[in-house]
Amino acid sequence: MRSYSGAAPSRRRFLALSAGGAAAGAAALSGCALSTAGAASGGGNGESITMMVELDDVSPELIQQARKELGIRITVVKNDITRLIAMLTSGNPPDLVRGLGALDAPYFAARGVAEDLDPYFAKSTILRTDDLDPANDVWRFDGTTQGQGPRYGMAKDFSQDAMFWYNTALFDKAGVDYPSETEPITYEEWLENGKRLVQRKNGQTTVYGGSYNGVNLTVLLTNLTAAAGGSLFSEDFTRVDFTTPEARKALTWYVDYARTRVGPSLIQPNPDTWDGPTYVANRMAMSGSGYWLGGMINAEAKVAKVSRLAPAPVFEGGPRLSSCQAGTGLWMPKKARNKDAAWRVFEWFFGEGPAKARAEGGWGIPTLKSLRPLMPQKEDYQKRVFKVQEAELEHFSVTPFTPYAKWDAFEALINQVMPAAMNGQISVDTLAGRLNSALNEQLKRGKEQVG
C-alpha cells in the first residue's frame, strides 16, 4: 500500500521534519548561502532550477558547465533542513534536494513529498535501470520496506562504508600483521589491532590505532546490529530494541571501542573533525571510511603507496554483509515546478561529465556500472584497491532504515545518552534502556504524524 503518494502532503506531516531539524540543531535560515549562474542562454530555452545541496557538491565551475552544456541556469541553496521545511510548506520547494539515500529515502517517501522517479528512469537513455548499481536501491521504498519499490532518488557515488583503509607503514612499525584483503577479520580482531597500533605521548594520542564511527552513529549502530545477525528495528520499523542479543553485542563493541580510546569518539573528539586529514597525515593506522576516502588518499602519493583497503569486518557467527551507510545523492520534491529541467540536470549530474570526473578521482564507486572502468587503476596500489573493492561488491546489501524518524534527530539523542556509558558511568544495559526510551518516543511521534 502506498496511500501516502496521493494527495498533497499536509503541514502536519512536516512537523516530524521540523522536529528532526530542531533536534539536530539546524542552521538559521539567514545563514543560507546562494550561488547563481546568471541568465542562461542556449539549448535550455532559458530554463532554471534550484538545487538544495552542500555548496561544494555543485561548484561555480559546474554551474557554468551546466549553463554551457544544457542551457539551464542553476541556483544553489545551502542544504538546510529548516529551510527545506519552509520551502516545502510554502509550496515553493527546490527542484532537486541532497539526501542520504540510506537514511532519508524512506523518510521523505513516506511523507509524500518525494517524486516517484520510475517514469523518468523508464524514458532515460542516459540513466538506464539495467546500468544502475544495486547500491541505488537505498533510494527505493515500497511504503513498508527500503530497497524495494519505486525509486525516489539516486546516489552520486557510494562506498561500502564498513570497509576500512589501513596504513602498512604504521602496521610495520607496531609489528602487527596486515588484515586479509579477501577474508574479513572480526570486529574483535579489529579492536585488538587498534590497541596495538595506537601511539601516545605524555597522555596524548599522537597516532590513532583506528577510527570506526561510520557515516554517523545512527546508521553505524543499525549496521553493527545487522552484522551481529539481528535488526535494530521491529518488523514494522515503529520501534528500536537495543536489548536484543544482537543489538547488545553491537552496542557493547562500540562502547568498548570508545572506552579503549584507540580512536575518535564522543569522549575523544578528533581535532580534524573527520578521518581524512588525520589519515593522510599518517596519524591514523585504520579508518573505517570505505572506498570513498580513496579520493583523498590518491592525492597523496606517499600515503597512497602504503595504504590498503580491507573487507568489512564480521562478528563471530554473524553474517558477512557490507552495506552502504550513505548513498548521498538527489531527490526531486513532488511539488517541484521545473521537473523536466530538473531531470535533465539529474541525468547530467549522475550520468555525464560530473559523474565521469567523480569516478576518475576515486571519490566513491560510480553508481552506473558502465562508469566503473573509470575508477583509478593506473598505479599498482590502485589496482590492488580496485581488486579488493570489486570482490566486496558481492557482499553488498541494503540495511533498511525506519521511515518514522529523521536520522539527525536520532543522532542528537544518541549523542546525549552515549558518553555516560563510554566514560564507565553507566552499564551497557542501562544505556540500552535509555536509548530505547529516547528513540522509541521519537518513533512514536513520527508514526502518528505519518498516519
Side-chain angles (χ1 to χ4, degrees):
M1 294 292 290
R2 289 169 51 219
S3 58
Y4 56 82
S5 64
S10 67
R11 189 175 186 89
R12 178 172 165 267
R13 287 195 172 182
F14 291 124
L15 293 177
L17 282 160
S18 55
L29 297 187
S30 59
C32 295
L34 292 175
S35 173
T36 61
S41 61
N45 297 319
E47 293 175 293
S48 63
I49 70 162
T50 299
M51 297 178 70
M52 178 173 276
V53 292
E54 296 300 333
L55 299 184
D56 56 0
D57 287 338
V58 183
S59 66
E61 292 78 16
L62 274 184
I63 292 172
Q64 292 295 340
Q65 189 178 335
R67 180 186 175 188
K68 181 179 177 181
E69 296 179 8
L70 309 178
I72 296 174
R73 175 180 180 265
I74 296 174
T75 298
V76 172
V77 181
K78 175 76 170 68
N79 187 38
D80 183 311
I81 184 66
T82 308
R83 181 160 192 171
L84 177 61
I85 299 157
M87 295 177 78
L88 287 167
T89 54
S90 69
N92 187 31
D95 298 290
L96 294 171
V97 182
R98 183 189 209 264
L100 304 182
L103 298 169
D104 289 333
Y107 187 84
F108 289 113
R111 279 155 182 76
V113 298
E115 179 80 4
D116 175 354
L117 296 179
D118 276 355
Y120 292 90
F121 279 106
K123 294 177 182 177
S124 180
T125 57
I126 297 167
L127 303 177
R128 305 186 320 275
T129 52
D130 62 354
D131 192 28
L132 294 179
D133 190 277
N136 286 301
D137 288 352
V138 297
W139 281 99
R140 299 175 69 184
F141 184 66
D142 65 2
T144 305
T145 305
Q146 188 175 11
Q148 304 172 24
R151 297 182 187 277
Y152 289 94
M154 181 172 170
K156 63 185 176 69
D157 46 51
F158 75 101
S159 289
Q160 290 169 277
D161 297 293
M163 297 180 76
F164 65 97
W165 291 88
Y166 61 98
N167 183 315
T168 57
L170 292 173
F171 270 70
D172 291 342
K173 183 177 181 180
V176 178
D177 292 338
Y178 302 161
S180 168
E181 293 177 284
T182 55
E183 296 301 317
I185 64 172
T186 66
Y187 282 103
E188 292 81 4
E189 289 172 320
W190 188 96
L191 190 52
E192 285 305 311
N193 285 344
K195 291 175 186 176
R196 295 174 62 190
L197 290 159
V198 68
Q199 296 178 37
R200 298 186 174 96
K201 186 176 182 180
N202 299 325
Q204 297 295 314
T205 300
T206 56
V207 175
Y208 292 115
S211 173
Y212 212 91
N213 292 289
V215 171
N216 54 60
L217 294 187
T218 300
V219 73
L220 177 70
L221 294 172
T222 303
N223 279 271
L224 284 174
T225 303
S231 173
L232 187 57
F233 296 98
S234 59
E235 194 171 337
D236 62 1
F237 295 97
T238 60
R239 294 185 65 78
V240 295
D241 189 354
F242 281 92
T243 67
T244 66
E246 298 85 3
R248 197 181 179 287
K249 178 182 280 191
L251 204 56
T252 299
W253 182 86
Y254 186 69
V255 168
D256 285 347
Y257 157 80
R259 283 180 179 173
T260 57
R261 295 180 181 264
V262 302
S265 70
L266 292 171
I267 60 170
Q268 184 177 240
N270 181 355
D272 294 328
T273 70
W274 72 290
D275 289 4
T278 318
Y279 183 89
V280 298
N282 293 304
R283 289 186 287 107
M284 183 178 282
M286 299 185 289
S287 172
S289 295
Y291 177 84
W292 178 86
L293 193 61
M296 192 165 188
I297 293 171
N298 280 324
E300 304 288 341
K302 287 184 180 179
V303 178
K305 287 176 182 176
V306 297
S307 293
R308 295 185 186 174
L309 187 62
V314 296
F315 278 114
E316 188 131 1
R320 181 174 180 181
L321 50 84
S322 190
S323 61
C324 170
Q325 297 179 17
T328 303
L330 299 171
W331 58 279
M332 185 188 298
K334 188 172 289 188
K335 295 298 182 183
R337 295 181 177 182
N338 305 300
K339 290 181 181 176
D340 288 343
W343 178 255
R344 183 66 194 98
V345 171
F346 192 99
E347 287 182 314
W348 171 78
F349 188 73
F350 289 113
E352 298 182 66
K356 292 173 183 175
R358 289 192 302 269
E360 289 167 350
W363 289 100
I365 306 161
T367 52
L368 292 182
K369 291 180 281 188
S370 59
L371 296 183
R372 253 189 233 159
L374 297 179
M375 293 165 68
Q377 299 174 67
K378 182 180 177 182
E379 307 291 343
D380 286 343
Y381 58 83
Q382 292 172 335
K383 292 174 183 175
R384 185 169 194 150
V385 165
F386 182 80
K387 184 178 179 182
V388 172
Q389 179 56 77
E390 281 285 283
E392 187 79 354
L393 287 171
E394 295 178 21
H395 305 285
F396 178 83
S397 62
V398 174
T399 304
F401 194 72
T402 181
Y404 301 120
K406 191 78 171 67
W407 68 266
D408 35 9
F410 268 15
E411 194 78 357
L413 295 169
I414 292 170
N415 288 351
Q416 291 172 16
V417 177
M418 188 79 82
M422 293 174 167
N423 284 319
Q425 296 163 341
I426 61 173
S427 67
V428 169
D429 287 332
T430 300
L431 172 64
R434 291 184 182 178
L435 287 171
N436 282 353
S437 296
L439 301 190
N440 283 328
E441 179 60 32
Q442 192 80 18
L443 284 166
K444 181 183 176 184
R445 289 203 300 271
K447 180 68 171 68
E448 289 170 352
Q449 288 151 355
V450 172

